[in-house]
Amino acid sequence: MKLNIGVIKGDGIGPEIVTEAMKVLDKTSEVFGHQCCYTQLLMGGASIDVNGVPLTDETIRLAKASDAVLMGSIGGDARVSPWYQLEPSKRPEAGLLKIRKELNLFANLRPAILYSELKDACPLKEEIIADGFDMMIMRELTGGLYFGERKTIEVDGVMTAYDELTYNENEIRRIAKRGFDIAMKRRKKVTSVDKANVLDSSRLWRKVVEEVAADYPEVVLEHMLVDNCAMQLVKDPAQFDVILTENMFGDILSDEASMVTGSIGMLASASLNDTKFGLYEPSGGSAPDIAGKGIANPIATILSAAMMLRFSFDLDKEAEAIELAVSQVLKEGYRTSDIMSGGNIQIGTSEMGDKICSYIHA
Ligand code: NAD
C-alpha cells in the first residue's frame, strides 16, 4: 500500500522527534511491504521564518491532498523568540488553530496508557494501578462552549458575562459514530460523559449517543456524569476503554487522564475529520528548553504514527507492531532522560528510534 503522508516537522524538538517517527514508519513499511511517500510542509515558526506567516494556503492545499499528516510540535519560547513579537494572529500557534479548522478536525483522540514499566511515574497508589490502564479519550473539538457566542455587558449596572454552549444533533452524531467505531477496534466499551442532570446540551448528547449505540450492538455503552468521571479517573482508571465527551469536559478530563500516566513524552494524539484523514501529533509542546540536544523522547510521536496507521490507513497489525516494539524497548530498560529511573539505560532521541525499529516484526 502507498501511504501519502504530509509531514510538518515543526519547531523546537519537532524535527528531532518527527525524524524518529519517520524512521519507524519506514521500517514498518519495509517489514509489511508498504511504501511511505512524504511531503514536507511548513507550519508554525518554521513557516514564519520562510513565508512571514505560520500557515500558508499552499500548506493547507498540500495537507488536504495527503492521506494523513504527521506533525511535531510548533512554537518557541515566548520570552525570547521573535515570533512572539508578532501580532497574535501571526504567531506559530495561530497556524495550529487554523489548520484544525481548515481540515474540519472535529474529533480529538488522546490515549492514556500506563505501561507497567513506567509505574513509578504514576502519581496513583500501587493498589489502584496494579493492572495498569489503557483508555482513549475522545473529545469533540469544534463545537460547544469554546465556539459559542460570548459577550460581557452591563446589566442593571452589574458587569455580566455570557458564554453560549450549543450542540446540534449532527455534531453529536458524527463524534459519537467515531467513538463507537474506535471502540470496535478496542475493548468495545464506550463511557459517554455528560452533565445530563443539569444541561440541555447534555440531555441531547445522551439521546443522540443512545441512538448511535443502537447501530453498534457489540459495544457496551454506559453514561457517566462528568463530576463522577473526574473522580473515577483517579479511583479506578482501568474501568475505562473509550471515554466519549464534549469539548470542554474533554479538555479537562484528557489532561487529568494524561497526568496520571506520568510523562508528557509518551502521550500521542490524533485529530480526525469525517473522512479517514487525520492530523497526528504528540500531546506535548516543542520543548525549546531541550531542543537540539538529542535528548527528547520521540515515543509520543512514534505512537502518534502508529495511530495514523490504524485510523487513517486501517493498518491495525502494523500499528500493533509499533506499539509492541515500544513496550519491548521499555521492558529492556531503555529510557530517554525524561522517563529515566534507577537501574535503566539512558539513551538519546535517535538511539530510541533505532531501538524501536529493531523490535518491529511482522
Ligand atoms: P512543552 O510541552 O513544550 O514542555 C513542557 C516540559 O516538558 C519541558 O520541560 C519539556 O522539556 C518537557 N517535554 C515536552 N516534550 C518532551 C519530550 N518529547 N521529551 C522530553 N521532554 C519533553 O510545553 P511548554 O514549554 O509550555 O511549551 C513550549 C512551546 O510549545 C510553546 O511555544 C507552546 O505554545 C508550544 N506548544 C505547542 C503544542 C502543539 O504544537 N500542539 C502543544 C503545547 C505547547
Side-chain angles (χ1 to χ4, degrees), residues 10-13 17 43 71-79 81 83-84 92-93 96 100 263-267 269 281-291 295-301 336-339 349:
D11 308 315
I13 59 170
I17 54 182
M43 203 180 95
M71 188 172 93
S73 334
I74 55 137
D77 183 342
R79 291 164 305 179
S81 166
W83 300 328
Y84 296 89
E93 288 74 8
L96 196 56
R100 286 179 179 151
S263 171
I264 188 90
M266 300 291 299
L267 299 169
S269 89
E281 57 176 321
S283 295
S286 59
D289 54 332
I290 56 166
I295 60 170
N297 187 348
I299 294 179
T301 318
T336 44
S337 59
D338 57 314
I339 50 172
T349 311

Side-chain angles (χ1 to χ4, degrees), residues 3-154:
L3 319 181
N4 289 314
I5 303 168
V7 175
I8 300 170
K9 287 198 168 178
D11 308 315
I13 59 170
E16 298 165 62
I17 54 182
V18 171
T19 299
E20 298 315 306
M22 290 167 71
K23 204 190 253 179
V24 173
L25 279 173
D26 287 337
K27 177 65 197 268
T28 309
S29 300
E30 186 193 312
V31 168
F32 287 88
H34 304 299
Q35 190 196 355
C36 288
C37 301
Y38 302 108
T39 306
Q40 299 290 339
L41 309 174
L42 279 183
M43 203 180 95
S47 173
I48 294 173
D49 289 345
V50 175
N51 304 308
V53 288
L55 179 66
T56 61
D57 290 345
E58 179 64 359
T59 296
I60 294 170
R61 190 185 68 74
L62 290 169
K64 282 182 177 165
S66 308
D67 298 325
V69 171
L70 178 68
M71 188 172 93
S73 334
I74 55 137
D77 183 342
R79 291 164 305 179
V80 294
S81 166
W83 300 328
Y84 296 89
Q85 306 298 319
L86 301 166
E87 62 174 85
S89 66
K90 297 216 168 105
R91 292 180 193 168
E93 288 74 8
L96 196 56
L97 295 179
K98 189 170 172 196
I99 202 166
R100 286 179 179 151
K101 198 162 170 233
E102 288 283 340
L103 299 173
N104 192 26
L105 302 170
F106 64 83
N108 181 246
L109 270 84
R110 277 219 234 165
I113 303 169
L114 182 66
Y115 290 88
S116 53
E117 297 78 17
L118 298 181
K119 272 186 185 169
D120 286 353
C122 177
L124 302 180
K125 284 186 186 150
E126 170 67 28
E127 63 257 35
I128 293 176
I129 52 160
D131 301 324
F133 55 81
D134 176 356
M135 72 185 95
M136 180 72 85
I137 312 259
M138 178 115 195
R139 165 190 171 193
E140 203 289 329
L141 203 58
T142 55
L145 197 59
Y146 298 171
F147 287 85
E149 280 190 22
R150 62 191 89 255
K151 62 182 176 191
T152 305
I153 53 169
E154 211 176 285

